[in-house]
Amino acid sequence: MLSKRLVSTAAICLVLAAGTAACGDTKGDSKGGGDSKAAASQKLDTDKLSAQDIEKQAKDALAGATALKISGNMVDEDGKMELNLSLDNKSQCTGTMSMPGMGKFEIISDGKTSYVKPDTAFWTNLGGPNGAQAAELFKGRYLTGFDTDPEMKSLSSVCNLADFSKKITEDDGTENKVEKGSAGNVNGVKTFSLKSTDSKGGVSTIHVATEGKPYPVRIEHTGGTDGSGQIDFSDFDKPLTIQAPSADNVIDFAKFKSQFKTA
């Protein structure tokens, strides 16, 4: 069945080396919001600020975001995971995710109800011995009502922006030294990088926006034994418009399990 480690929001931090520039020690209170005009004119003084100060500002900005888009991939011993997901602080989300050995699925959440539309490979794996039949029978339809299932529930957890931000910014007890990198440009955004090397030889780099709010716009991890990956962040604070699927295109997960358990 599903790998909860892969589909949890914690997977992003695990693959990108928790405890490094992306997921290391954080001190002080996170502050969000603020005056939008002031934020628009804000510039990160990378000459005067220490690497730790820049890192903290990036974490505070991320913790205060009301919405964002995550896109990228992570590779570890299980294979390659890809995601393209927009989510907000109302637990709304929309996007896609693919998992090693499982296939790809679309996920939609309106903040109360989550819907997953698997591709053929995902249906086949989900249906077990009758997977091929399930893939054909339910092709193009959504599953819902799986919040009480231990494995499927983890799919909807990716829509929780507060939980995601916490996984990225919380202190995990490690003390990897963060060092300044250099100025750059990520997807048209002027950035400054911070780098850190963990005890296993993995190198993590966080690219922080230097104009406007100091959001992290890319996190990378290479080397070591914890896998590698790159995650880009964009569309900060951009409101989401969620359209739930029509009732006739939705399948209750409990009924699905019952049907294919007895098929």
Side-chain angles (χ1 to χ4, degrees):
M1 288 296 287
L2 306 180
S3 165
K4 286 188 275 187
R5 185 181 64 80
L6 280 176
V7 300
S8 70
T9 54
I12 296 173
C13 237
L14 287 172
V15 177
L16 297 183
T20 62
C23 311
D25 180 33
T26 179
K27 300 176 181 179
D29 297 326
S30 296
K31 298 178 182 179
D35 182 78
S36 59
K37 291 183 178 179
S41 61
Q42 180 180 349
K43 288 190 176 183
L44 198 63
D45 193 338
T46 57
D47 290 331
K48 293 183 179 180
L49 293 172
S50 68
Q52 290 72 24
D53 289 336
I54 296 172
E55 181 188 32
K56 183 181 183 303
Q57 287 199 28
K59 290 176 178 178
D60 287 349
L62 179 62
T66 59
L68 56 81
K69 181 178 181 180
I70 315 166
S71 58
N73 64 81
M74 294 156 283
V75 182
D76 67 0
E77 60 185 9
D78 293 323
K80 185 176 182 179
M81 173 183 175
E82 297 179 289
L83 70 164
N84 191 329
L85 187 70
S86 296
L87 59 160
D88 66 13
N89 58 359
K90 299 177 182 178
S91 291
Q92 297 186 128
C93 75
T94 180
T96 60
M97 184 179 296
S98 64
M99 297 162 51
M102 283 299 298
K104 184 177 182 179
F105 60 90
E106 176 188 351
I107 185 167
I108 299 173
S109 175
D110 60 10
K112 296 180 179 179
T113 305
S114 298
Y115 307 88
V116 168
K117 182 170 75 172
D119 68 358
T120 299
F122 205 98
W123 273 123
T124 301
N125 281 287
L126 197 62
N130 302 294
Q133 181 185 354
E136 182 63 28
L137 185 62
F138 301 124
K139 183 178 180 180
R141 301 179 72 181
Y142 292 84
L143 278 171
T144 193
F146 44 73
D147 288 347
T148 58
D149 184 272
E151 292 186 325
M152 291 296 290
K153 185 178 180 180
S154 61
L155 294 179
S156 59
S157 71
V158 301
C159 295
N160 189 319
L161 178 57
D163 185 52
F164 167 79
S165 297
K166 181 180 179 182
K167 295 296 183 184
I168 295 293
T169 61
E170 69 183 355
D171 179 5
D172 70 347
T174 58
E175 296 183 0
N176 294 323
K177 184 179 180 180
V178 181
E179 299 178 340
K180 286 186 177 182
S182 59
N185 189 295
V186 175
N187 298 326
V189 177
K190 293 181 179 179
T191 61
F192 189 82
S193 64
L194 302 174
K195 294 187 176 183
S196 177
T197 302
D198 62 31
S199 60
K200 300 178 182 179
V203 178
S204 288
T205 306
I206 178 171
H207 301 266
V208 183
T210 56
E211 296 182 354
K213 292 183 180 180
Y215 288 122
V217 295
R218 174 173 290 171
I219 296 175
E220 302 170 286
H221 181 71
T222 58
T225 59
D226 291 327
S228 62
Q230 174 180 298
I231 299 295
D232 286 357
F233 304 88
S234 61
D235 293 352
F236 288 99
D237 304 322
K238 183 178 180 179
L240 298 186
T241 300
I242 302 298
Q243 180 65 52
S246 59
D248 60 356
N249 199 33
V250 173
I251 306 162
D252 183 82
F253 184 60
K255 293 181 179 179
F256 166 79
K257 284 205 304 182
S258 175
Q259 177 176 347
F260 279 88
K261 184 176 181 181
T262 58

